Amino acid sequence: MTDCIFCKIAAGELPSKKVFENDELLVFHDIYPAAPVHLLIIPKLHIASLVECEAQHEGLLGRMLLLAPELARKHGLNDGFRTTINTGRGGGQEVFHLHVHVFGGGKMPHLS
């Protein structure tokens, strides 16, 4: 996708503060952190949002979620952390490329 900021980051066209990368995933620090540690896990494959996922993405989604606690531990979030997937405009999604937020290390906003 030519105008997707996360696709450009994954392709190395835009800079990011990377913390993890393999053939299918990239993890980097959010440029507008909501907590002292705020990471984004993205697939390199462009998927607009969680609602676009299908059965073929099951393994990818599992690997994204299983990576979250490993990253949290490596970043000192031993007392807990939060994961969030905003889906669609009504769900607070701002960048339409599937991503998992992993954040913690401070007072967390209350979510109802």
Side-chain angles (χ1 to χ4, degrees):
M1 181 147 219
T2 58
D3 63 342
C4 173
I5 191 169
F6 285 176
C7 285
K8 289 178 181 179
I9 290 171
E13 297 170 14
L14 291 175
S16 68
K17 190 175 171 188
K18 294 179 191 177
V19 298
F20 175 88
E21 183 173 16
N22 65 18
D23 290 342
E24 67 180 348
L25 300 175
L26 176 66
V27 182
F28 53 94
H29 289 272
D30 194 303
I31 61 170
Y32 300 111
V37 174
H38 188 163
L39 307 173
L40 300 175
I41 304 172
I42 69 166
K44 291 183 176 179
L45 172 68
H46 181 82
I47 303 169
S49 72
L50 188 59
V51 77
E52 302 290 325
C53 290
E54 299 176 350
Q56 68 192 26
H57 302 116
E58 181 178 350
L60 175 67
L61 292 168
R63 287 185 291 280
M64 290 174 74
L65 291 177
L66 288 173
L67 184 56
E70 179 183 330
L71 293 166
R73 280 190 300 276
K74 286 182 179 178
H75 285 83
L77 301 178
N78 300 315
D79 193 35
F81 61 96
R82 178 178 288 164
T83 55
T84 302
I85 302 173
N86 298 324
T87 305
R89 291 198 193 286
Q93 188 174 4
E94 295 177 4
V95 176
F96 285 84
H97 183 119
L98 177 66
H99 55 287
V100 177
H101 295 261
V102 177
F103 47 104
K107 185 171 169 61
M108 303 300 295
H110 177 70
L111 298 177
S112 299

